Amino acid sequence: MSAIAGIYHLQHQPLDPEHGPGLMQQLNRYPADDISMWQGKEIFLGCMSQWITPQSLGETLPFYDSDRKLAITADAIIDNRDELFGRLQVPQEDRASMPDSLLILLAYEKWGEQTPVYLIGDFAFMIWDERKRMLFGARDFSGNRTLYFQRKGGLFSFCTVIHPLLSLPGAGRALNEEWVSEFLAIQTRTDAMDLYSTVYQPVEQLPPSHSVSVKGGNITFSRYCTLQAPPKLRLRSGREYVEAFREVFGQAVRDRLRTHLAVGANLSGGLDSGSVVSFAAAELRRRGQPLHTFSSYPVDNFAPFNLGKRVADERPYIRETIDYVGNIQPDFLNFPELSPYSEIDEWLDIMEMPYKFIENSYWLKGIFEQAQLKNIGVLLSGQRGNWSISWGPALDYQAKLIREFRWISFYRENRQYNESMGASRRKVLQIVGKKAFPSLARLLPARQEAPPELIHPDFARRTEVQERLKAMGMNGGPSSQTVYDIRRRHFEQPHIWNVNGTVATKLSLKYRVWDRDPTNDLRVIRFCLSVPEGQYVQNGVDRSLIRRAMEGLLPDEVRLNRKRRGVQGADGICRMLPQWKDFIKELQEMIQDPRTSVYLNHAGLAGCLNRLGSEPAPNLIFNSDFRLLTRGLVFHRFLKRLS
């Protein structure tokens, strides 16, 4: 709901009166309902407010409570308000109008530095405790709101975004080579493993699931949340698991509808977004409001290539959901004027850093633009659904049964899977065998040559990035991890989800639309982690719990679809054809640029460029050479801005 900022003098000296307002002036690029500042002798707090919830209308931020001697600036939407009202004994007549910032302040008065443990929602906040002469703040568990800081010249300065901190006297814009080395060396969408660092040397960030305390010249960090599997939930029947799921997930969806503006949702043809939309549309119908949905589809001249079981145009499934659920005002969007290449500069402005999701960048931004035009306040999504509500990989479950020597269960699941999918028993057994014993993959010959590294070998050696990544649990070699190990790490390690929060925060500030994901609700995740694996895969059916839970709530064409899954951005090359010559020319410049070649593997990228060929094939969009070249190009553009 806000961009927050502040400055605190670590030695309790008076602040320069110009620094705080100068910091806030940098936030003028964002649409705002209010911009306010509060200052004590040694502390400055500011807030650029976007009023999204009914309780935020006219909210005073920063807010100073003279009785409690506490001041707060907050970028927050808290979802477990009713629970907190009860715990904090808030009078009934005050509850409906109380803003989330005041609720956080009351929580701090009761629980102090343990406050974020009790909060569920998307938040980053800072509290000035005048009695303790301490600054305390926190970021939500998955980092859905960003919080950057700088410690320089005896000052601790913080902000929701990076560029205001770079404007402070003496900050500079020096590149953080350790961050850059991790960004270039990591092959997934993760930007960096070191979550305290950013692309700029002077600027750090508070990691997800962490709090910070600044007192007596000392700055200390604490991780307040580590998501680990709770004890298994033991219910009497599958029906009870379905009912329990509907209750916890329905609550998460309802809590995220809290806005005085219109409600929107991303809608694809799959289970995750369809489930979110189904619950949201039903609740909004009871309130007499429609749900606006936004769905992306390929450009009209796109000729689909062989995508296997993937579907580029999901409109038939989307229409099934819309017709079945009802109370939906749909928008089908294909953004014919946009491409992955055309949006690079604007995304660099939004992100303030290089990014890796170029293939999907144009439709992500396009949907937020359209949502803004429709006066949407919250835009629902289901991005974390694969790891929470729609978990349940059938073949991996069969492999798990083998590892646990549960032969009868394995035989039954394997037979039912093969019969229902019309699958080859021999091929399925081969796949399951590899999944059951992934360490054996190291003994098998590689099927194809590994793609080149994006990072220059000399830069990698100089920064010792591979050693650092290996020490932090990430290496590029064959893995002995099962998908269950990967899921566990997904929830335990904050770096995996940090980039999603960065994108969500910065898009929300630019377009005044909040991304809200019920599949990422802490209550939902804890519930899903407690559900026995036998509820997620049953009778050979993958993602069984969500399929059963959505019976009567989603059309069977979507709910029971096991053979076709959507893929976004498949038409990216088609969109780039008018700009292809410019694209190739810029890639050539990137490879030859001495500034870039210090960091990028120019020899390897030259080979990638040669393999692209003169006639761009549509399937290049998912090609590793294309992916490396475009990631290098984004970094090249970013680097040029610094010179």
Side-chain angles (χ1 to χ4, degrees), residues 91-341:
Q92 194 70 38
E93 61 271 19
D94 295 337
R95 296 182 178 186
S97 61
M98 181 174 288
D100 293 325
S101 58
L102 181 53
L103 191 54
I104 295 171
L105 206 63
L106 295 178
Y108 176 80
E109 183 185 35
K110 180 176 179 65
W111 295 303
E113 294 177 55
Q114 289 299 304
T115 293
V117 173
Y118 297 91
L119 304 179
I120 293 175
D122 304 333
F123 60 82
F125 64 85
M126 279 289 187
I127 293 173
W128 167 241
D129 189 327
E130 190 173 292
R131 291 192 176 98
K132 294 182 179 179
R133 301 186 81 176
M134 179 179 74
L135 188 64
F136 173 78
R139 188 176 171 200
D140 65 76
F141 88 98
S142 67
N144 215 43
R145 307 305 292 176
T146 52
L147 190 59
Y148 301 100
F149 64 91
Q150 178 178 261
R151 30 187 167 182
K152 190 176 184 65
L155 302 177
F156 177 88
S157 309
F158 66 87
C159 191
T160 301
V161 285
I162 295 175
H163 69 273
L165 297 174
L166 297 174
S167 73
L168 290 172
R173 300 171 68 88
L175 205 63
N176 184 342
E177 290 198 338
E178 287 200 354
W179 187 96
V180 169
S181 67
E182 292 184 17
F183 177 85
L184 297 177
I186 296 172
Q187 297 179 10
T188 65
R189 286 185 62 208
T190 297
D191 46 26
M193 293 283 285
D194 178 5
L195 282 179
Y196 288 94
S197 67
T198 74
V199 67
Y200 293 105
Q201 190 69 48
V203 179
E204 301 172 78
Q205 66 175 319
L206 183 65
S209 296
H210 281 68
S211 63
V212 58
S213 301
V214 187
K215 183 180 181 181
N218 297 317
I219 304 172
T220 58
F221 303 93
S222 176
R223 181 166 183 176
Y224 66 83
C225 176
T226 300
L227 271 174
Q228 295 177 330
K232 287 301 178 185
L233 180 65
R234 300 299 177 188
L235 301 178
R236 289 175 295 182
S237 66
R239 185 64 198 171
E240 289 191 2
Y241 284 102
V242 164
E243 292 171 354
F245 169 83
R246 286 182 173 181
E247 181 178 351
V248 69
F249 185 60
Q251 185 65 54
V253 174
R254 289 192 296 273
D255 287 340
R256 282 162 176 76
L257 301 179
R258 187 163 58 97
T259 179
H260 69 93
L261 302 165
V263 178
N266 287 282
L267 179 59
S268 69
L271 274 171
D272 296 329
S273 65
S275 298
V276 171
V277 161
S278 177
F279 276 88
E283 176 61 25
L284 289 172
R285 182 186 290 111
R286 287 190 283 270
R287 303 180 188 183
Q289 303 169 21
L291 175 66
H292 300 265
T293 61
F294 301 89
S295 305
S296 173
Y297 68 96
V299 288
D300 295 337
N301 61 336
F302 172 61
F305 51 92
N306 182 14
L307 290 167
K309 295 182 179 180
R310 295 285 185 168
V311 178
D313 188 348
E314 298 181 75
R315 282 179 291 177
Y317 296 105
I318 295 170
R319 290 191 178 104
E320 292 281 356
T321 295
I322 290 169
D323 293 342
Y324 189 90
V325 171
N327 194 40
I328 291 174
Q329 293 186 8
D331 283 275
F332 289 93
L333 308 163
N334 70 348
F335 314 111
E337 73 283 4
L338 304 183
S339 77
Y341 184 62

